[in-house]
Amino acid sequence: MKEQLQSIHQEAIEKIKKSDSAKHLQELKVAYLGKKGSITSVLRGMGKLSKEERPVIGDIANKVRESITHTIESKKDELDRHALEKKLEAESIDVTLPGRPVETGGPHLLTKIIEEIENLFIGMGYEVREGPEVETDYYNFEALNLPKNHPARDMQDTFYLTPDLLLRTHTSPVQARTMHKYGGQQPVRMICPGIVYRRDDDDATHSHQFTQIEGLYVDKNVRMSDLKGTLDVFAKKMFGEDREIRLRPSFFPFTEPSVEMDISCKVCRGEGCSVCKNTGWIEILGAGMVHPKVLSMAGYDPEIYTGFAFGMGPDRIAMLKYGVNDIRQFYMNDVRFLQQYHKA
Ligand code: DAH
């Protein structure tokens, strides 16, 4: 019986060592240690043994059981460890591999130009205001000294929504709105960026939708020289300290006198080239001293208050500054175009 147990032991250990799965180990466990297993069946013969032999064999049987149990456990641990190692190996990532680049967006070129201009004027004490894109005829025209049937309305082809509501053709209504709000009681120093609309056929230099920035400064003793100084600072900060400005007489119904401002051409330094159409100067904006009628309609006494106003197009400024030759590029949302200016 002792030999039988020993040979079962030997055979079991060998089989356990060769086993390669938890399932097989479990089968071996049942086959050797289970109720119907080989050890149990050997022990069934214990009854035939003498009193002295029984504890000896019992002891051996227990040791064999223990040894088999222990060997199965450690084999199981080994298999588990092995499986884990394999899994980790399969799932491992090489952190030194180059990653896939993440596409990031950036502000639109026009947004950048507008923010740059905003910051410049905020630095000179201006507040930034907004106004509605769907505007009344009153603020878009009448309050700016453009009564109904005034021929100067033709300067701005208009999208009318109703006889009295329209898509604003310029940001100038916001100067009227702001003056009306302050009601002649306090000075105004504001700029207003925004989108405007005109019934234009789109081409390289025209778009039915574009951006404008309006500026207004109303106070006691505001003079034309203040306008010129302000525009000079603006032009030099925006386009470079070496740029000159010049003011040419012009006409706008809401300013008197009215001017147009040009900056000296950077490409030819005043000699004349295709960018400045051989004049040496590039037109940038319209401006002037706020018309007395516009002041009084908003409640400001033109005998006490004076002011200047200007209106410019960030589209045009961006085109000049970055050499963009088609205004439609700003509105087509072609990322290949827009991306070029993310770091500009
Ligand atoms: N509103 C004018 C336009 O769209 C631009 C302009 C000219 C605005 C003179 C002004 C100004 O405030 O004083 O063409």
Side-chain angles (χ1 to χ4, degrees), residues 115-125 233-234 237-238:
E115 279 176 6
E116 201 179 325
I117 298 172
E118 274 178 11
N119 287 337
L120 217 151
F121 281 98
I122 288 170
M124 292 196 269
V233 169
F234 159 74
K237 289 265 183 283
M238 248 354 246

mmCIF file of all heavy atoms in Angstrom, residues 115-125 233-234 237-238:
data_model
loop_
_atom_site.group_PDB
_atom_site.id
_atom_site.type_symbol
_atom_site.label_atom_id
_atom_site.label_comp_id
_atom_site.label_asym_id
_atom_site.label_seq_id
_atom_site.Cartn_x
_atom_site.Cartn_y
_atom_site.Cartn_z
ATOM 1 N N GLU A 115 -9.580 92.057 -32.885
ATOM 2 C CA GLU A 115 -9.104 92.111 -31.496
ATOM 3 C C GLU A 115 -7.911 93.049 -31.352
ATOM 4 O O GLU A 115 -7.777 93.763 -30.368
ATOM 5 C CB GLU A 115 -8.739 90.711 -31.005
ATOM 6 C CG GLU A 115 -9.978 89.954 -30.569
ATOM 7 C CD GLU A 115 -9.717 88.521 -30.165
ATOM 8 O OE1 GLU A 115 -8.538 88.125 -30.121
ATOM 9 O OE2 GLU A 115 -10.702 87.806 -29.914
ATOM 10 N N GLU A 116 -7.058 93.035 -32.368
ATOM 11 C CA GLU A 116 -5.885 93.915 -32.328
ATOM 12 C C GLU A 116 -6.330 95.384 -32.307
ATOM 13 O O GLU A 116 -5.827 96.189 -31.522
ATOM 14 C CB GLU A 116 -5.039 93.633 -33.585
ATOM 15 C CG GLU A 116 -3.600 94.058 -33.480
ATOM 16 C CD GLU A 116 -2.823 93.729 -34.772
ATOM 17 O OE1 GLU A 116 -3.114 92.690 -35.407
ATOM 18 O OE2 GLU A 116 -1.960 94.515 -35.129
ATOM 19 N N ILE A 117 -7.304 95.705 -33.167
ATOM 20 C CA ILE A 117 -7.795 97.085 -33.228
ATOM 21 C C ILE A 117 -8.520 97.455 -31.931
ATOM 22 O O ILE A 117 -8.332 98.539 -31.376
ATOM 23 C CB ILE A 117 -8.703 97.284 -34.465
ATOM 24 C CG1 ILE A 117 -7.892 97.025 -35.742
ATOM 25 C CG2 ILE A 117 -9.315 98.679 -34.486
ATOM 26 C CD1 ILE A 117 -8.711 96.990 -37.026
ATOM 27 N N GLU A 118 -9.318 96.501 -31.431
ATOM 28 C CA GLU A 118 -10.018 96.744 -30.159
ATOM 29 C C GLU A 118 -9.019 97.101 -29.061
ATOM 30 O O GLU A 118 -9.188 98.093 -28.353
ATOM 31 C CB GLU A 118 -10.776 95.487 -29.723
ATOM 32 C CG GLU A 118 -12.164 95.365 -30.311
ATOM 33 C CD GLU A 118 -12.856 94.071 -29.873
ATOM 34 O OE1 GLU A 118 -12.349 93.388 -28.956
ATOM 35 O OE2 GLU A 118 -13.884 93.747 -30.459
ATOM 36 N N ASN A 119 -7.964 96.276 -28.944
ATOM 37 C CA ASN A 119 -6.991 96.504 -27.866
ATOM 38 C C ASN A 119 -6.316 97.862 -28.001
ATOM 39 O O ASN A 119 -6.067 98.526 -26.995
ATOM 40 C CB ASN A 119 -5.941 95.388 -27.854
ATOM 41 C CG ASN A 119 -6.548 94.099 -27.328
ATOM 42 O OD1 ASN A 119 -7.540 94.136 -26.607
ATOM 43 N ND2 ASN A 119 -5.972 92.969 -27.687
ATOM 44 N N LEU A 120 -6.052 98.216 -29.249
ATOM 45 C CA LEU A 120 -5.406 99.500 -29.480
ATOM 46 C C LEU A 120 -6.280 100.663 -28.975
ATOM 47 O O LEU A 120 -5.803 101.570 -28.298
ATOM 48 C CB LEU A 120 -5.227 99.619 -30.989
ATOM 49 C CG LEU A 120 -4.007 100.265 -31.538
ATOM 50 C CD1 LEU A 120 -3.734 99.643 -32.902
ATOM 51 C CD2 LEU A 120 -4.226 101.740 -31.676
ATOM 52 N N PHE A 121 -7.573 100.580 -29.294
ATOM 53 C CA PHE A 121 -8.452 101.677 -28.881
ATOM 54 C C PHE A 121 -8.828 101.587 -27.400
ATOM 55 O O PHE A 121 -9.006 102.619 -26.741
ATOM 56 C CB PHE A 121 -9.694 101.747 -29.784
ATOM 57 C CG PHE A 121 -9.389 102.424 -31.093
ATOM 58 C CD1 PHE A 121 -9.113 101.691 -32.226
ATOM 59 C CD2 PHE A 121 -9.333 103.816 -31.165
ATOM 60 C CE1 PHE A 121 -8.796 102.323 -33.428
ATOM 61 C CE2 PHE A 121 -9.013 104.461 -32.361
ATOM 62 C CZ PHE A 121 -8.738 103.710 -33.495
ATOM 63 N N ILE A 122 -8.917 100.373 -26.872
ATOM 64 C CA ILE A 122 -9.157 100.247 -25.425
ATOM 65 C C ILE A 122 -8.011 100.961 -24.685
ATOM 66 O O ILE A 122 -8.227 101.678 -23.711
ATOM 67 C CB ILE A 122 -9.247 98.757 -25.005
ATOM 68 C CG1 ILE A 122 -10.564 98.152 -25.508
ATOM 69 C CG2 ILE A 122 -9.169 98.608 -23.473
ATOM 70 C CD1 ILE A 122 -10.658 96.639 -25.377
ATOM 71 N N GLY A 123 -6.789 100.779 -25.225
ATOM 72 C CA GLY A 123 -5.616 101.430 -24.642
ATOM 73 C C GLY A 123 -5.715 102.955 -24.688
ATOM 74 O O GLY A 123 -5.037 103.648 -23.932
ATOM 75 N N MET A 124 -6.553 103.498 -25.577
ATOM 76 C CA MET A 124 -6.714 104.954 -25.651
ATOM 77 C C MET A 124 -7.997 105.385 -24.939
ATOM 78 O O MET A 124 -8.467 106.514 -25.138
ATOM 79 C CB MET A 124 -6.736 105.400 -27.121
ATOM 80 C CG MET A 124 -5.390 105.209 -27.825
ATOM 81 S SD MET A 124 -5.300 106.149 -29.363
ATOM 82 C CE MET A 124 -5.908 104.961 -30.531
ATOM 83 N N GLY A 125 -8.561 104.495 -24.140
ATOM 84 C CA GLY A 125 -9.712 104.866 -23.318
ATOM 85 C C GLY A 125 -11.071 104.666 -23.973
ATOM 86 O O GLY A 125 -12.082 105.162 -23.479
ATOM 87 N N VAL A 233 -1.816 107.474 -34.805
ATOM 88 C CA VAL A 233 -1.386 106.437 -33.843
ATOM 89 C C VAL A 233 -1.883 105.074 -34.323
ATOM 90 O O VAL A 233 -1.132 104.095 -34.368
ATOM 91 C CB VAL A 233 -1.955 106.737 -32.425
ATOM 92 C CG1 VAL A 233 -1.745 105.542 -31.497
ATOM 93 C CG2 VAL A 233 -1.311 107.981 -31.852
ATOM 94 N N PHE A 234 -3.146 105.042 -34.723
ATOM 95 C CA PHE A 234 -3.740 103.778 -35.189
ATOM 96 C C PHE A 234 -2.951 103.206 -36.381
ATOM 97 O O PHE A 234 -2.562 102.047 -36.394
ATOM 98 C CB PHE A 234 -5.207 104.007 -35.574
ATOM 99 C CG PHE A 234 -5.754 102.958 -36.494
ATOM 100 C CD1 PHE A 234 -6.044 101.691 -36.021
ATOM 101 C CD2 PHE A 234 -5.966 103.238 -37.854
ATOM 102 C CE1 PHE A 234 -6.521 100.707 -36.878
ATOM 103 C CE2 PHE A 234 -6.434 102.259 -38.707
ATOM 104 C CZ PHE A 234 -6.714 100.990 -38.220
ATOM 105 N N LYS A 237 0.555 101.943 -35.406
ATOM 106 C CA LYS A 237 0.531 100.712 -34.597
ATOM 107 C C LYS A 237 0.101 99.509 -35.457
ATOM 108 O O LYS A 237 0.580 98.400 -35.280
ATOM 109 C CB LYS A 237 -0.436 100.859 -33.414
ATOM 110 C CG LYS A 237 0.060 101.800 -32.345
ATOM 111 C CD LYS A 237 0.775 101.035 -31.233
ATOM 112 C CE LYS A 237 1.229 101.900 -30.085
ATOM 113 N NZ LYS A 237 2.442 102.703 -30.322
ATOM 114 N N MET A 238 -0.832 99.765 -36.379
ATOM 115 C CA MET A 238 -1.362 98.663 -37.189
ATOM 116 C C MET A 238 -0.423 98.264 -38.314
ATOM 117 O O MET A 238 -0.253 97.092 -38.626
ATOM 118 C CB MET A 238 -2.678 99.121 -37.837
ATOM 119 C CG MET A 238 -3.967 98.517 -37.433
ATOM 120 S SD MET A 238 -4.004 97.181 -36.342
ATOM 121 C CE MET A 238 -4.626 95.914 -37.398
#
